[in-house]
Amino acid sequence: MVWPKSQTQVGNHVHPLLRPHDLRLTVFSTFAFTTHCKKIILSMIMKLLLSEKRIQQRVGFLARRISRDFLGREILMVGVLKGAFIFMADLVRKLKIPVRLDFVRLASYGDGTCSSGKIQFTKDLECSLRGKDVLIVEDIIDTGVTLQYLYRCLKARRPGSLAVVTLLDKPSRRKVSFQADYIGFQIPDHFVVGYGLDCAEEYRNLRGIYIVK
Ligand code: XMP
Ligand code: MG
C-alpha cells in the first residue's frame, strides 16, 4: 500500500523553509541574531547606570519604609504617567499596607530629551483626595517644576496628608526648590532611560536604568 505524501512533499519541490522543523530553526536563529544585534547597538548608545537587582533592592527598601511610616492607615497612591508605571507596579506589590491607586498624566517634556518648559494636565484624577493619605509616585525629579506644580494642585484638594516618592532624583538640575519625602537614587545630570523612562517613547521596557550616551 502507498501512503499519500504530505502537502509539503508533493512533487519533490519543497522549499527547505517550508519543512516545519527547519522553519522553527530558521525563525529561532533569526530571532537570536536580531536580539544579539540589538544588544550590541544598545551597548553602543547606552551605559548601564542601575541594574535590575539594585533597583529591586531599593524599591524593597522604600516599600518597607513607607509601610512602616503609614502603618495602620490606607494610602492613595497617585502615579504620574507614563514614566512611573513600572516603579509604581513594583512598589505597590511590596507594600504591607492597604493601598488604592489613581493616576495623573502631566505633559512637561517634548518627544526627545529636551523640556518644553510648560506643564499641562492631560489626565486628571478620578477620585477625591479629601481627608486621604496621598502619596505621589514619580519616576524622576529633574528641574522640580513638574512636581512643584502637581504638589500644589493636589494640596489644594485638601488631602489628609500629601507625600512624594520618586525613584530618581537629579538634584543638580533643580530650578525650583522641591524635596521628595522618599528617594530611590540620587543620580548625576544625565538623561536616563529604562524601567519606565523613555526617550521618544522607546526603552521604557528595559529592566535596568541606562544613561543615553
Ligand atoms: P521636571 O524637570 O519638571 O521633570 O522635574 C520631570 C519630568 O521630566 C521627565 N524627565 C526625564 N525623563 N529621562 C526621562 O526619560 C530623564 O533623564 C528625565 N529627566 C526628566 C520625567 O517625565 C519627569 O517626570
Ligand atoms: Mg515623570
Side-chain angles (χ1 to χ4, degrees):
M1 176 178 176
V2 181
W3 292 98
K5 289 180 176 175
S6 79
Q7 287 284 322
T8 52
Q9 290 170 334
V10 173
N12 286 333
H13 290 300
V14 183
H15 189 281
L17 279 183
L18 288 179
R19 286 204 293 270
H21 179 69
D22 290 357
L23 184 63
R24 278 203 301 273
L25 270 180
T26 310
V27 169
F28 176 76
S29 52
T30 310
F31 174 77
F33 180 70
T34 316
T35 310
H36 183 65
C37 286
K38 272 190 186 160
K39 273 189 185 162
I40 293 174
I41 293 166
L42 276 183
S43 70
M44 282 177 349
I45 57 169
M46 284 178 200
K47 189 171 153 243
L48 182 69
L49 179 68
L50 298 165
S51 67
E52 181 183 5
K53 192 174 167 200
R54 269 192 81 189
I55 296 170
Q56 290 306 324
Q57 282 172 346
R58 191 66 187 169
V59 174
F61 170 82
L62 290 173
R64 284 192 295 279
R65 269 195 54 198
I66 293 167
S67 301
R68 187 196 64 200
D69 293 353
F70 288 88
L71 193 67
R73 287 142 77 187
E74 178 186 89
I75 48 173
L76 172 66
M77 293 179 92
V78 174
V80 185
L81 294 172
K82 303 178 195 172
F85 84 106
I86 293 183
F87 173 44
M88 188 163 172
D90 283 345
L91 187 64
V92 292
R93 284 178 294 174
K94 290 181 159 83
L95 288 176
K96 300 271 185 280
I97 49 170
V99 58
R100 286 170 191 255
L101 309 181
D102 205 340
F103 297 91
V104 290
R105 175 131 165 77
L106 296 158
S108 65
Y109 263 62
D111 255 1
T113 58
C114 248
S115 170
S116 70
K118 285 186 194 157
I119 304 167
Q120 254 183 308
F121 255 99
T122 54
K123 188 216 168 297
D124 206 338
L125 291 171
E126 288 165 19
C127 66
S128 158
L129 299 188
R130 191 169 280 268
K132 295 179 182 158
D133 289 312
V134 177
L135 181 63
I136 300 172
V137 185
E138 178 63 300
D139 53 355
I140 182 164
I141 307 179
D142 190 27
T143 62
V145 174
T146 309
L147 261 191
Q148 190 187 61
Y149 172 83
L150 179 64
Y151 190 91
R152 284 179 181 164
C153 288
L154 299 194
K155 193 80 185 163
R157 298 181 192 186
R158 309 238 177 277
S161 69
L162 184 60
V164 176
V165 56
T166 185
L167 178 69
L168 305 175
D169 187 17
K170 283 192 221 173
S172 62
R173 292 261 307 163
R174 272 310 185 284
K175 282 192 190 152
V176 296
S177 127
F178 192 91
Q179 181 68 28
D181 303 86
Y182 305 93
I183 297 169
F185 302 93
Q186 288 200 330
I187 61 165
D189 179 13
H190 292 295
F191 195 84
V192 292
V193 295
Y195 199 67
L197 292 132
D198 73 308
C199 181
E201 292 301 327
E202 276 198 84
Y203 313 122
R204 289 193 196 274
N205 57 335
L206 297 176
R207 288 168 177 269
I209 291 176
Y210 295 79
I211 293 172
V212 180
K213 287 185 199 167

